[in-house]
Amino acid sequence: MAKVTGKVFDVGLFRRLLVYTNPYKITLYFVAIAAVLLSVFAVTRPVLLKTTINDYILTKDEYGLLIFTLLMLGVLVFEVIFQFLFVFYANWLGQSIIKDIRQKLFNHMLNFKMAYYDKSSVGRLVTRAVSDIETIASIFSQGLFVIIADLLKMLVVMSLMLFMSWKLALIVFAILPMIIYATRVFQKAMKSAFEEVRTQISNLNSFVQERVTGMKIVQLFSREKTEYKNFKKINEKHKNGWLKTVWYNSIFFPIPEMANSIAVGLVVWYGGLMAAVDNSIGLGEVIAFIMLIGMLFRPLRQIADKFNTLQMGMVAAGRVFSILDTESSISDEGTITALDIKGDISFKNVHFSYIEGEEVLHGISFNVKQGQTVAIVGATGAGKSTIINLLNRFYEIDSGTICIDETNVKDVKLDALRTKIAVVLQDVFLFADTILNNITLQNPSITRETVEKAAKQIGVHDFIMSLPNNYDYNVKERGGMLSSGQRQLISFLRAYVTNPRILILDEATSSVDSYSEQLIQNATDTITQGRTSIVIAHRLATIKKADTIIVMNAGKIVEQGSHNELLQLQNGYYKNLYEVQSVSYTHLTLPTKRIV
């Protein structure tokens, strides 16, 4: 999270942003030059107006009046053109920069460890990647260059005022300290207020995202009223955060307007008096000063407003850079880029903890031979899913070694490792896309013909063809248009078409109907042939054919052997689990008596 430092402008943070302007140097220089020219064009009109009044209107020179009127028109046209170019290219620069930052941020997030996502709010990450980055664009499009242009304009205006009439200039300058002090106080207050606003936006996004995702749970447990009350509290904090900025704006913005009116009144009074008494100040100077006062005071008001925008962008940049600075990636320093594996797997004295000091695997060791099917069973929390997460290197082990074909997985590039391992998870995630794209995941090497052939081999083709648009059927967000069993079948096919050397099924049949389970069982028998397979199962009846069954309890392997071997162990852990499940299944499936 960006820290409120109290600084009006964080130079170090801005330097980091400037690095992203390197590909767009020409545009950056053009916008800077346009800002300078705009300040010149702005003060040219009052000078021309003064000359027109003193030399041509008061002297009734019609030809000179026409010439200077056309000159003022020409200057106005050029000012409009450069104003357009300035606004367009400043915004273009801002959008180009945030495009690059967003791409870098997303790529950085793609490589985070799973542990990072275990502890991070999805809503906050979405806020950083979308709205916070969009706010950064305003630094260039509405903040920095506009402030530079306004400061240049003010400098030129003040110089021109001194040149035209130092007496009138001193009158105007005497009022400036009041506005400058108010602006300084306003900037500090707004920085703190905008930090609060960004925090409340993140909280609101996170809350809404979680409740929309878990809406079924909310409605199943009749939590609508409670969650609505919670939302009202968070929404109220969000409103109060914004109202604080409105309060500061309401206090500050009348001050420059009041100062402008006072300055104009004093200039008209003193300038008019001098023009009437001794003609030491001409009428043209008085009218030019009235225009110049607006050009001097209005930018002060705008600068304060743009500083709000700039500070909000800097706060957002700090938040985004805090994620970019986060080192939470799995080490990918392996040198092996092409892994032609057979499928032997070995865990040697592997220790692992999700939280430091709270170990969940206590010296796990086992071997899986090429082509074998190994089942891992145990109670919830025994460490079954942790094993497959470590094999895919989603987490770093504390100690020990994990090898495939006697090659340490740390010596293999992550991409090379994971392309050889396919996983079917219990909780299936499908994107809001077609069935075909959810199966291929946009991999150009997997053709539609390959998918259809694979679907026929494992018996899923008929189910897909029964859907509207079959393989082009859009399953909507998270696969909401399909049942849990249908989503599981798609996930199973997605794993199969990659032609993996190692197949992992993590509770793949735990939440499917009997028909889908039978399809998956048939498919399992087909695709596990010639492949190393690891099956994590809760229902022990589904793993009787496994070559080896590893029984886990509290992060340790307590038993290991075939189904029949484990049933022979007196008071064995597996035997007790199997008998309990068999009794429970019998009770669940006993037919009810007919009442005649």
Side-chain angles (χ1 to χ4, degrees), residues 192-298:
S192 175
F194 278 133
E195 173 68 19
E196 176 65 19
V197 167
R198 299 312 300 174
T199 298
Q200 295 306 327
I201 288 175
S202 293
N203 292 340
L204 188 63
N205 286 347
S206 180
F207 183 89
V208 172
Q209 187 272 334
E210 287 181 351
R211 269 57 184 185
V212 170
T213 302
M215 188 58 69
K216 182 178 291 186
I217 298 299
V218 172
Q219 295 184 357
L220 278 173
F221 289 89
S222 300
R223 300 288 296 174
E224 293 93 338
K225 291 183 179 179
T226 301
E227 295 302 334
Y228 178 65
K229 289 180 181 178
N230 292 336
F231 177 79
K232 286 177 67 176
K233 292 178 182 177
I234 294 176
N235 200 34
E236 181 71 18
K237 290 180 179 179
H238 178 262
K239 182 198 75 173
N240 291 337
W242 275 110
L243 284 179
K244 187 181 290 185
T245 68
V246 173
W247 168 252
Y248 292 143
N249 280 313
S250 301
I251 293 175
F252 171 75
F253 284 144
I255 295 175
E257 295 298 330
M258 179 179 64
N260 183 87
S261 300
I262 293 173
V264 169
L266 290 174
V267 165
V268 170
W269 169 74
Y270 184 77
L273 187 63
M274 292 298 101
V277 173
D278 57 9
N279 201 31
S280 59
I281 296 177
L283 181 61
E285 280 80 359
V286 174
I287 295 176
F289 257 81
I290 293 174
M291 289 184 66
L292 290 171
I293 288 171
M295 291 181 180
L296 181 63
F297 284 28
R298 193 178 306 114

Side-chain angles (χ1 to χ4, degrees), residues 46 289 441 444 520:
F289 257 81
L441 296 179
I520 292 178

